[in-house]
């Protein structure tokens, strides 16, 4: 087990009606004026925004609202939010929504605490992210784990670059997790969330680090629970049990727990981000579309690890280690298909792409040659190109 620092300071309020506590939580963490950030229409349509507004008024917390955050959120709306936060004197940012809303809220929190700094400079590592306003979350979709994570992912629409920024100041002060708030989700978004939750653990689990029993077994248990409840959530929509398992798993899958003591991989996420940046596809879909190709390309690096995954998570084995490893990959890909998630570019509805597009995706993924991605197997430009090619059917 490698050395690590583990700090997940986010207070979690889990259960039915927990959004009632949002205003009191803001107060508890020192907020006196809030900016409420939300997405397209789901939070308004469900009445959630109105309920939160009432709670804020009852707690005497003045607030402004900023809606319109779209999936794969754009830098320009975050910049608009910074202006609004600064002008209104907001000292707390409340995100009501999913990963896109939370990440926009985090970006606003960073920009508002550092007025005058070009926001994108933080993502390009040209400015140091030393301070940010506090952020709280009312979560409406189990997926990104941003409610407990140290990251925010934005798309710079001017350059077409989608990029994450990970800094500890980004961890929300509190996360309100009421599974009932997810009941209005379309099946496709539930499935995208299941894939993303699995992938946050898989991108940590496929590691070359040895001797990490507790972390490994936590990861395997989380995956089994998500696979089972993902199926149940889609077969029986609107049930509290499966959605509550997914919601809690989503937070634990990306707060660091399932990768402690290991060197993590995250190549699939990097490959997926380029697909979302170029084709504006949903994050979870971008991951399922390439994971099988990534796994087929990389499992030979350490087939024993994939064989362990096959046995512990899927309960399958073959004649030898390689065959067992392959069965685990097949099971995973078949599971994604059973959720109606894409496992190739045609399923992803971006069609079979010409070679020059695959080369461009690969080039962007390695930042034009400035980095390699992944650790289980370190991938250079040519490796990324080959993986995209394998998914290109
Ligand atoms: O905009 P509205 O109308 O709210 O609709 C949203 C959106 O269309 C809808 N939705 C959310 N809650 C709903 C609902 N519809 C009905 N009822 C509800 N209760 O779902 C759609 C997707 O929302 P989004 O916030 O984009 O989903 P998700 O939580 O999957 O977030 C994806 C974003 O998070 C980033 C992704 O890259 C992507 O940009 N990620 C952030 C991470 C982080 N900060 O730690 C880690 C992840 O790996 C990921 O990269
Ligand atoms: Zn993700």
């Amino acid at each position: 087990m490698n050395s690590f620092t583990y700090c997940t300071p986010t207070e979690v309020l889990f259960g039915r009606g927990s959004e009632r506590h949002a205003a009191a939580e803001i107060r508890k963490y020192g907020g006196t004026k809030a900016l409420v950030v939300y997405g397209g229409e789901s939070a308004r349509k469900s009445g959630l925004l109105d309920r939160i507004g009432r709670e804020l008024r009852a707690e005497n917390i003045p607030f402004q609202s900023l809606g319109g955050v779209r999936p794969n959120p754009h830098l320009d709306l975050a910049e608009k939010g910074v202006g609004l936060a600064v002008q209104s004197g907001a000292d707390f940012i409340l995100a009501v929504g999913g990963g896109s809303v939370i990440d926009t809220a985090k970006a606003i929190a960073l920009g508002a605490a550092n007025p005058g700094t070009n926001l994108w400079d933080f993502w390009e590592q040209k400015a140091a992210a030393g301070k940010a306003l506090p952020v709280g979350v009312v979560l409406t979709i189990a997926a990104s784990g941003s409610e407990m994570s140290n990251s925010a992912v934005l798309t710079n629409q001017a350059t077409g670059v989608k990029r994450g920024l990970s800094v500890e100041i980004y961890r929300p002060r509190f996360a309100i997790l009421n599974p009932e708030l997810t009941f209005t989700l379309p099946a496709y978004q539930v499935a995208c969330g299941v894939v993303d939750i699995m992938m946050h653990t898989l991108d940590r689990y496929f590691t070359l680090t040895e001797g990490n029993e507790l972390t490994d077994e936590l990861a395997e248990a989380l995956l089994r629970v998500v696979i089972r409840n993902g199926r149940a959530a889609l077969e029986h929509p609107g049930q509290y049990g499966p959605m509550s398992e997914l919601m809690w798993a989503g937070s634990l899958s990306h707060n660091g727990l399932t990768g402690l003591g290991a060197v993590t991989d995250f190549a699939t996420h990097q490959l997926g981000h380029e697909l979302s940046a170029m084709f504006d596809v949903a994050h979870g879909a971008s991951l399922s579309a390439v994971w099988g190709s990534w796994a087929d390309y990389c499992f030979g690096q350490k087939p024993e690890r994939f064989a362990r995954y096959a046995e512990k998570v899927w309960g399958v084995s073959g004649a030898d280690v390689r065959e067992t490893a392959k069965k685990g990959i097949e099971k995973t890909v078949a599971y994604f298909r059973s959720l109606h998630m894409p496992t190739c570019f045609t399923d992803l509805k971006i069609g079979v792409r010409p070679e020059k597009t695959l080369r461009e995706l690969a080039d962007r993924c390695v930042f034009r040659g400035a980095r390699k991605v992944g650790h289980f197997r370190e991938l250079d430009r040519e490796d990324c190109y080959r993986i995209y090619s394998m998914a290109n059917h």
Side-chain angles (χ1 to χ4, degrees):
M1 193 189 295
N2 294 337
S3 306
F4 60 81
T5 299
Y6 186 49
C7 180
T8 51
T10 307
E11 182 187 0
V12 175
L13 291 87
F14 190 98
R16 290 186 170 95
S18 45
E19 67 276 15
R20 272 198 319 270
H21 304 293
E25 285 292 303
I26 292 175
R27 183 70 79 199
K28 178 166 151 187
Y29 289 100
T32 60
K33 266 188 192 175
L35 177 66
V36 178
V37 183
Y38 61 98
E41 56 174 21
S42 72
R44 185 173 291 291
K45 248 168 110 178
S46 66
L48 176 61
L49 274 179
D50 286 344
R51 293 207 303 280
I52 286 173
R54 279 199 296 275
E55 297 294 343
L56 288 167
R57 281 183 214 101
E59 191 75 28
N60 289 321
I61 298 176
F63 65 97
Q64 299 260 8
S65 301
L66 177 72
V69 176
R70 32 153 300 137
N72 299 316
H74 281 179
L75 171 68
D76 60 0
L77 192 75
E79 288 173 332
K80 186 175 164 195
V82 172
L84 193 55
V86 170
Q87 168 238 315
S88 66
D91 55 14
F92 198 99
I93 315 293
L94 180 69
V96 181
S100 299
V101 169
I102 303 167
D103 290 358
T104 302
K106 289 175 173 178
I108 294 171
L110 181 59
N114 300 275
T117 307
N118 179 341
L119 197 54
W120 193 246
D121 279 355
F122 293 109
W123 272 259
E124 294 211 311
Q125 315 289 339
K126 291 180 188 160
K131 56 181 174 172
L133 296 185
V135 171
V137 175
V138 178
L139 190 65
T140 64
I141 171 173
S144 71
S146 184
E147 65 277 10
M148 287 184 89
S149 85
N150 65 351
S151 322
V153 186
L154 281 191
T155 297
N156 182 336
Q157 66 287 352
T159 56
V161 172
K162 179 174 181 177
R163 197 162 286 182
L165 172 64
S166 297
V167 282
E168 287 308 308
I169 52 162
Y170 262 172
R171 295 199 196 261
R173 296 293 198 278
F174 65 84
I176 290 180
L177 273 51
N178 174 0
E180 288 181 334
L181 299 181
T182 67
F183 289 178
T184 48
L185 278 168
Y188 179 67
Q189 289 298 339
V190 175
C192 282
V194 169
V195 170
D196 197 19
I197 296 167
M198 287 177 69
M199 211 56 69
H200 291 150
T201 289
L202 289 175
D203 266 350
R204 292 177 163 91
Y205 182 83
F206 288 108
T207 174
L208 301 177
T209 310
E210 292 281 359
N212 215 2
E213 278 180 46
L214 180 60
T215 296
D216 283 349
E217 298 216 17
L218 284 170
E220 288 152 1
L222 185 144
L223 287 162
R224 288 193 301 267
V225 168
V226 172
I227 290 163
R228 200 163 55 234
N229 285 282
R231 212 176 268 136
L234 288 168
E235 280 171 10
H236 310 286
Q239 287 204 350
Y240 190 81
M243 291 316 296
S244 55
E245 298 293 344
L246 292 181
M247 206 168 210
W248 186 219
S251 298
L252 293 187
S253 195
H254 202 40
N255 77 355
L257 179 70
T258 61
L260 288 178
V263 177
T264 60
D265 187 75
F266 276 92
T268 303
H269 264 77
Q270 301 310 321
L271 291 160
H273 282 341
E274 296 311 327
L275 291 171
S276 286
M278 197 180 279
F279 302 107
D280 201 18
V281 291
H283 175 58
S286 77
L287 302 174
S288 62
V290 291
W291 186 82
S293 301
W294 171 84
D296 284 340
Y297 192 76
C298 296
F299 86 94
Q301 195 74 7
K302 193 175 177 188
E304 300 77 11
R305 188 67 177 167
F306 274 84
R308 174 182 171 138
Y309 166 68
E311 284 171 348
K312 296 266 191 172
V313 174
W314 293 104
V316 293
S317 58
D320 56 29
V321 165
R322 286 182 76 86
E323 197 183 306
T324 304
K326 282 188 176 168
K327 281 195 172 180
I329 298 171
E330 283 161 15
K331 276 278 186 188
T332 312
V333 171
Y335 178 70
F336 292 158
R337 284 204 194 101
S338 78
L339 302 180
H340 303 294
M341 291 306 288
T343 56
C344 65
F345 286 5
T346 309
D347 293 351
L348 190 58
K349 300 196 170 52
I350 61 171
V352 176
R353 310 306 303 186
E355 178 173 343
K356 90 171 183 327
T357 307
L358 306 183
R359 294 263 174 219
E360 175 64 13
L361 282 166
D363 200 33
R364 290 185 186 193
C365 195
V366 296
F367 292 179
R368 311 270 176 219
R371 68 163 184 177
K372 291 182 178 175
V373 294
H375 288 286
F376 184 75
R377 174 168 173 181
E378 220 177 41
L379 306 173
D380 63 15
R381 187 190 277 117
E382 188 62 22
D383 297 316
C384 294
Y385 165 73
R386 289 197 187 154
I387 292 169
Y388 284 129
S389 301
M390 287 162 71
N392 191 33
H393 54 87

